[in-house]
Amino acid sequence: MSRTLARTTPPARSRTTGRTALLAAIGLITATGATATVMASTAGAAAAGCKVEYQITNQWNTGFGANVIVTNTGDPVSAWTLEWSYANGQQATQGWNATITQSGAAVTAKNLSYNGALATGGSTSFGFNGSHTGTNTVPATFKLNGVTCNGAIDPTQPPTTPPTTPPTTPPPSGTKADNPYAGAKVYVNPEWSAKAAAEPGGTKVSNQPTGVWLDRTAAIAGANGSMGLRAHLDAALAQKGSGELVVQLVIYNLPGRDCSALASNGELGPTEIDKYKTQYIDPIATILADSKYAGLRIVTTVEIDSLPNLVTNVSGRPTATANCDVMKTNGNYVKGVGYALNKLGSIANVYNYVDAGHHGWLGWDDNFGASAEMFKQAATAEGSTISKVHGFIVNTANYSALKEDYFKIEDSVNGTSVRQSKWVDWNRYTDELSYAQAMRTKLVSLGFDTNLGMLIDTSRNGWGGTARPAGPGALTSVDTYVNGGRYDRRIHLGNWCNQSGAGLGERPQAAPAAGIDAYVWIKPPGESDGASKEIPNDEGKGFDRMCDPTYTGNVRNGNSMSGSLPNAPLAGQWFSAQFQELMKNAHPAL
């Protein structure tokens, strides 16, 4: 599910953003580490004291993720500095919600501008990724503003299922959480989990949360013996227990769906907007509004691969299609998305996240701003308002690398900019994290909430295995530099169907970076993007040559080979060979 193109070369702009949310939580991870709690006594005149919860939230071969919750048990402070030392050579690297530095074994974390004030009993949290060499013990002591937090360390054994005790206080009844993923478990789809577990080695990931795709009207009640929406919500209540739980739904059935491709065409014709409203969205809204499910946090990812098509694939663009011209003229994509946002966003426990493509589709200057404007148009259509949009999601069902470490958009080789390389091709971004943060900044500038959160689908963008570069490419030319160092090993950035060599990406986790509500697996790994040959079906799904491994390409992928796996079934059906490929090339490795 990837669309391109359009390239121009105006001056660069800032790609940074911030997030005002204070709480980085670990609720959705299958944690593999330990937790330590350190308490301080509060003796002394200007009483100082703290409680620090250091949680290893995820761990792989030489890396780990950590979440640190700081509670001030002494007098109020206007700024804080937390210090600790590592005993086993660990290194703290990328951090969020704090400025983290390290000298030798000593680590210092300082508040940012928005989370420095801590009242007595007040808490904040921050997180970071780090490296280790095999031993990764919890630090023995912490100091808050120079005062040692004295107390016993009580590490726990690594849990085998996501944590059940949320580290944050749920919002008051009737209000929405700033980040629905914070302090929450996320629903594990039992149907996907069973398929994954049945694969050799599949139990390593079968307890991960994935999206539930409502990709046709019949999916609401349950088609061909599969679970319907109520069945999933009932199963979610059983998984919830006493804590918070997120259910991830994909709203995906617009009239004339996916006008620029064929593999994911839908059941509704271009003019069937009334049927979309009354037979698809309204029944979903009725179920979600049932008071039985009021305790669930329901995340809806709204209409993948729709609105950007009205910018990039219409008349005047090199990738124009007649079908996309029809959808732009009749307005039914905008009307459908607006209607869905209004109906679903009116439900107190529903959080709408609108699809915002990915950097390999919208990262060019001609696409970026125009798409953001289109998102706002849809968010204010059919009675909806921008307040009905909790955030946006990028890279859904795509393969763009989360972060490219070995080349930056500002780099040049022998005086030639990275933007001029064949791979980047004048794009403004190199990866999904920088694109998501920049798109968030742009949307806030257009009037969306300053607390707007982004999701990044990391289900298939790990690009690990033996082909993963360990350093930058050679400096002989800008192309050797970029191609030698890029994690994304696709033949072309426009390739999107069942990609050979792809791997599972970062495991689902909450608040992993500034402005990002969560890394998620919305596209369930192992479900096909489309058939590699024409297969008759009653789901309206066509045959797209981009899913044919023998296809030599088109203007959207620079007339390159498709890079797709052979013998693929229809979109959404289980594809064992793809699942095995994703596990083999996972990064972080399984």
Side-chain angles (χ1 to χ4, degrees):
M1 296 186 180
S2 171
R3 316 290 176 259
T4 51
L5 297 166
R7 306 148 169 87
T8 56
T9 58
R13 64 170 163 268
S14 171
R15 297 183 290 113
T16 60
T17 187
R19 173 111 172 119
T20 60
L22 303 182
L23 298 173
I26 60 165
L28 27 117
I29 313 173
T30 302
T32 57
T35 300
T37 301
V38 184
M39 294 290 294
S41 62
T42 57
C50 62
K51 174 183 176 182
V52 175
E53 295 178 64
Y54 180 100
Q55 304 162 326
I56 298 174
T57 58
N58 198 7
Q59 187 163 298
W60 54 98
N61 291 345
T62 59
F64 70 100
N67 187 68
V68 182
I69 302 172
V70 183
T71 301
N72 177 30
T73 61
D75 290 343
V77 297
S78 59
W80 54 263
T81 298
L82 189 72
E83 299 169 277
W84 70 90
S85 293
Y86 284 122
N88 310 113
Q90 300 100 315
Q91 292 289 316
T93 54
Q94 180 190 27
W96 49 93
N97 286 346
T99 299
I100 301 173
T101 57
Q102 184 167 350
S103 177
V107 183
T108 301
K110 295 185 177 182
N111 66 274
L112 300 181
S113 60
Y114 56 78
N115 64 350
L118 289 178
T120 302
S123 297
T124 189
S125 69
F126 62 92
F128 59 92
N129 292 325
S131 63
H132 66 89
T133 57
T135 303
N136 189 20
T137 56
V138 171
T141 59
F142 296 85
K143 289 183 178 180
L144 181 66
N145 291 352
V147 176
T148 300
C149 300
N150 298 312
I153 302 290
D154 185 23
T156 62
Q157 291 300 312
T160 57
T161 57
T164 58
T165 302
T168 59
T169 301
S173 177
T175 63
K176 287 189 167 101
D178 177 49
N179 179 355
Y181 291 87
K185 295 186 298 183
V186 183
Y187 174 62
V188 177
N189 181 346
E191 292 183 311
W192 175 83
S193 182
K195 292 175 183 176
E199 292 281 340
T203 54
K204 294 178 181 179
V205 296
S206 59
N207 64 342
Q208 292 291 349
T210 54
V212 174
W213 287 61
L214 302 174
D215 60 354
R216 57 194 188 280
T217 301
I220 300 171
N224 303 319
S226 63
M227 295 171 68
L229 178 55
R230 282 194 179 276
H232 280 295
L233 295 176
D234 289 339
L237 288 176
Q239 291 184 19
K240 181 178 183 294
S242 60
E244 299 293 334
L245 185 133
V246 171
V247 180
Q248 303 174 121
L249 305 177
V250 181
I251 306 301
Y252 188 53
N253 198 30
L254 275 177
R257 189 178 74 194
D258 208 353
C259 61
S260 69
L262 298 170
S264 49
N265 287 164
E267 64 182 353
L268 299 179
T271 63
E272 293 186 289
I273 185 66
D274 290 337
K275 187 178 289 187
Y276 174 80
K277 292 178 178 179
T278 61
Q279 297 184 23
Y280 179 70
I281 294 297
D282 287 356
I284 292 173
T286 298
I287 294 171
L288 298 187
D290 190 329
S291 60
K292 178 180 181 182
Y293 307 121
L296 298 171
R297 296 180 180 180
I298 300 171
V299 164
T300 60
T301 53
V302 178
E303 294 299 352
I304 311 306
D305 288 341
S306 59
L307 298 174
N309 276 306
L310 305 183
V311 174
T312 67
N313 294 313
V314 293
S315 293
R317 295 301 188 98
T319 55
T321 72
N323 288 339
C324 288
D325 279 339
V326 167
M327 300 317 300
K328 184 170 184 178
T329 300
N330 68 25
N332 284 342
Y333 276 7
V334 171
K335 294 173 187 175
V337 170
Y339 187 84
L341 292 174
N342 190 33
K343 289 285 290 190
L344 303 177
S346 298
I347 302 168
N349 58 319
V350 170
Y351 300 77
N352 287 323
Y353 289 79
V354 180
D355 180 69
H358 54 88
H359 92 277
W361 183 5
L362 304 183
W364 286 279
D365 297 298
D366 282 2
N367 299 347
F368 186 87
S371 295
E373 296 280 359
M374 180 64 68
F375 301 150
K376 183 176 181 180
Q377 181 184 346
T380 53
E382 298 291 302
S384 182
T385 65
I386 56 176
S387 65
K388 300 289 179 68
V389 177
H390 203 78
F392 287 78
I393 182 169
V394 304
N395 205 47
T396 308
N398 202 56
Y399 297 86
S400 295
L402 177 66
K403 191 175 189 307
E404 292 286 5
D405 293 323
Y406 297 128
F407 65 99
K408 302 188 297 294
I409 207 69
E410 300 86 1
D411 291 349
S412 62
V413 177
N414 301 324
T416 303
S417 168
V418 156
R419 293 189 68 202
Q420 294 176 256
S421 67
K422 185 176 180 180
W423 174 257
V424 178
D425 197 16
W426 293 110
N427 202 307
R428 188 66 71 181
Y429 308 99
T430 59
D431 51 42
E432 284 309 294
L433 181 57
S434 61
Y435 167 74
Q437 292 173 326
M439 179 58 78
R440 179 187 178 279
T441 299
K442 178 64 176 178
L443 292 164
V444 169
S445 77
L446 294 178
F448 284 91
D449 195 289
T450 56
N451 284 346
L452 195 73
M454 305 296 285
L455 305 178
I456 302 178
D457 188 345
T458 59
S459 59
R460 305 184 303 177
N461 69 349
W463 297 105
T466 57
R468 186 175 177 88
L475 294 174
T476 50
S477 72
V478 72
D479 285 322
T480 57
Y481 174 66
V482 171
N483 287 332
R486 61 182 169 94
Y487 295 140
D488 189 336
R489 304 314 296 174
R490 284 178 290 180
I491 298 169
H492 189 276
L493 196 59
N495 288 357
W496 56 268
C497 193
N498 301 324
Q499 290 298 284
S500 175
L504 301 169
E506 290 286 343
R507 313 306 180 250
Q509 54 189 283
I516 310 300
D517 278 352
Y519 296 154
V520 294
W521 284 8
I522 293 298
K523 175 68 174 181
E527 291 190 2
S528 174
D529 292 320
S532 51
K533 62 182 180 181
E534 189 165 3
I535 300 176
N537 66 92
D538 60 359
E539 300 177 24
K541 295 172 181 174
F543 169 50
D544 196 306
R545 289 296 305 279
M546 287 298 291
C547 300
D548 177 357
T550 68
Y551 185 46
T552 55
N554 54 42
V555 66
R556 292 195 184 108
N557 79 332
N559 297 108
S560 304
M561 297 297 290
S562 69
S564 60
L565 294 168
N567 305 313
L570 287 173
Q573 294 187 4
W574 190 255
F575 188 11
S576 177
Q578 185 209 57
F579 186 79
Q580 291 296 326
E581 183 100 337
L582 293 173
M583 288 201 301
K584 179 181 71 174
N585 297 315
H587 187 86
L590 298 177

